[in-house]
Amino acid sequence: ARLPWVCVYTSASAFLLRISYPVPDDGDNEEGGRVIKGKVERLVEPFGRYLLSSPRGTEIVRIRPGPTGGPASCRPGSLAMLVREGRGRHAVVLHHGLGDGAGG
């Protein structure tokens, strides 16, 4: 099975991860938590080019996904990033998804 695309970020970098994991057997249904080991199938740096060319000291403030349902639905991996570029200047940077071959 696969998780939806997962975005993880720090103040300096952002990554989209495609993670798969084995589907547990019905006999594995135990009460309480358990650890399932997954595998990162694909790693993408959606804002890498922008962040490398941005002014020194640029910080990621927040990243949010694009809408995934209804008439304003976006492609998988669509993101909006708010950055602080120094001296109180902010910018919003958009990533328009991963294309048709990326899977949802």
Side-chain angles (χ1 to χ4, degrees):
R2 282 188 189 160
L3 293 175
W5 284 94
V6 176
C7 178
V8 294
Y9 65 96
T10 67
S11 63
S13 57
F15 303 94
L16 274 169
L17 306 173
R18 166 57 90 198
I19 300 171
S20 65
Y21 60 94
V23 177
D25 295 333
D26 287 341
D28 289 343
N29 273 341
E30 299 175 11
E31 292 293 323
R34 73 190 142 144
V35 175
I36 297 175
K37 293 184 181 181
K39 175 176 99 173
V40 175
E41 292 180 352
R42 188 168 168 204
L43 176 114
V44 178
E45 287 186 79
F47 301 110
R49 219 178 254 172
Y50 173 84
L51 292 168
L52 284 173
S53 65
S54 62
R56 186 179 185 100
T58 296
E59 292 182 325
I60 297 172
V61 176
R62 179 163 292 153
I63 296 179
R64 291 290 181 249
T68 57
S73 187
C74 295
R75 296 190 307 193
S78 295
L79 301 167
M81 175 178 68
L82 174 64
V83 294
R84 182 180 307 115
E85 293 183 331
R87 296 187 181 216
R89 293 185 56 204
H90 289 79
V92 174
V93 184
L94 302 177
H95 176 70
H96 292 287
L98 297 166
D100 295 327

